[in-house]
């Protein structure tokens, strides 16, 4: 749950504040999600639950699309949720004109040349650990907001921000199921702890004592 739904919650909370910083709406954005394992699949589903936006999923074989041969059931499901235009190609192709990159995949996949093709005021979440998909220092020269999974750079996207608040809220509500409504509420609560986000501060610290109670209350009332 932590690497999958926890990551999706914190990514969406961070994305909401990043969009506030750059003055964009998710519905107007092209989002590239690189990595379609547990975390990537959960992120894509939660993005879809939050409202319509253009999402391209990318794995080791390139952009996922409905006509790609040899896909397993998970990729078939991902193709049905993304890439309405049916585009194909590589990660570099997908990044052209993208407003948001979310990487939960592998290290050192692209660099300055690909970053330069993204939309203005781009958002880059390079979350592969310990080595991100793109060098954060290079990304900061091209993107408006950069986040990683590491504590030695600003904007650490750490799934610990979702816990124990999510479980506390579920227990308090005597919940029998976990719904996307609850996960979205948790993401909003994490985002709202940061009252004035800026390019170097889009999520609260993992040591912020206000996070867990806020997430618990949001989940409890969303049940």
């Amino acid at each position: 749950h932590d690497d999958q739904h926890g990551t999706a919650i914190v990514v969406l909370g961070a994305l909401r504040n990043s969009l506030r910083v750059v003055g964009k709406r998710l519905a107007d954005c092209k989002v590239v999600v690189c990595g379609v394992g547990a975390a990537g699949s959960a992120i894509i589903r939660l993005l879809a639950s939050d409202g319509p936006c253009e999402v391209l999923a990318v794995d080791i074989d390139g952009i996922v699309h409905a006509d790609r041969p040899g896909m397993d059931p998970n990729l078939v499901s991902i193709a049905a949720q993304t890439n309405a235009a049916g585009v194909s190609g590589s990660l570099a192709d997908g990044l052209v004109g993208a407003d948001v990159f979310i990487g939960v995949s592998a290290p050192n996949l692209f660099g300055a040349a690909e970053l330069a093709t993204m939309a203005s005021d781009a958002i880059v979440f390079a979350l592969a650990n310990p080595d991100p998909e793109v060098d954060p220092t290079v990304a900061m020269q091209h993107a408006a907001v950069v986040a990683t999974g590491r504590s030695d750079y600003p904007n650490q996207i750490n799934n610990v921000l979702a816990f124990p608040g999510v479980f506390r809220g579920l227990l308090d509500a005597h919940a029998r199921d976990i719904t996307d409504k609850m996960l979205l509420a948790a993401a909003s609560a994490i985002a709202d702890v940061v009252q004035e986000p800026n390019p170097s501060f889009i999520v609260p610290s993992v040591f912020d004592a206000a996070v867990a109670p806020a997430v618990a209350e949001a989940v409890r009332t969303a049940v």
Side-chain angles (χ1 to χ4, degrees):
H1 286 297
D2 62 343
D3 285 340
Q4 184 175 19
H5 303 299
T7 299
I9 289 168
V10 182
V11 163
L12 187 56
L15 181 57
R16 287 182 174 180
N17 278 345
S18 298
L19 292 169
R20 289 171 62 190
V21 170
V22 300
K24 294 182 181 181
R25 299 188 316 140
L26 182 58
D28 299 327
C29 289
K30 174 184 176 181
V31 181
V32 175
V33 178
C34 183
V36 290
S41 299
I43 290 166
I44 288 167
R45 197 191 74 245
L46 207 56
L47 282 171
S49 297
D50 199 38
C53 66
E54 181 185 356
V55 178
L56 290 183
V58 182
D59 68 0
I60 193 170
D61 294 317
I63 297 170
V64 178
H65 59 92
D67 295 326
R68 203 174 89 175
M71 294 194 295
D72 61 29
N74 177 63
L75 286 177
V76 171
S77 174
I78 293 296
Q81 299 173 66
T82 62
N83 194 1
V87 301
S88 60
S90 65
L91 172 60
D93 296 324
L95 286 172
V96 176
D99 299 278
V100 180
F101 169 82
I102 300 171
V104 281
S105 52
N108 304 315
L109 296 181
F110 63 99
E114 291 81 8
L115 286 163
T117 69
M118 295 181 69
S120 60
D121 291 325
I123 297 166
V124 173
F125 291 179
L127 307 183
N129 269 330
D131 298 317
E133 287 83 357
V134 60
D135 184 329
T137 305
V138 174
M140 290 173 188
Q141 298 173 21
H142 295 270
V145 179
V146 177
T148 70
R150 292 170 45 160
S151 60
D152 54 341
Y153 289 99
N155 300 326
Q156 184 189 21
I157 307 298
N158 192 326
N159 53 28
V160 75
L161 286 167
F163 303 108
V166 168
F167 288 132
R168 179 73 267 171
L170 293 169
L171 291 167
D172 289 344
H174 299 172
R176 294 178 177 271
D177 298 294
I178 299 177
T179 66
D180 284 348
K181 180 181 177 182
M182 300 173 194
L183 305 185
L184 291 170
S188 292
I190 291 170
D192 291 345
V193 171
V194 180
Q195 297 184 358
E196 296 183 4
N198 63 61
S200 298
F201 185 41
I202 55 170
V203 285
S205 163
V206 296
F207 301 110
D208 192 327
V211 176
V215 171
E217 178 63 14
V219 171
R220 185 188 66 79
T221 56
V223 173

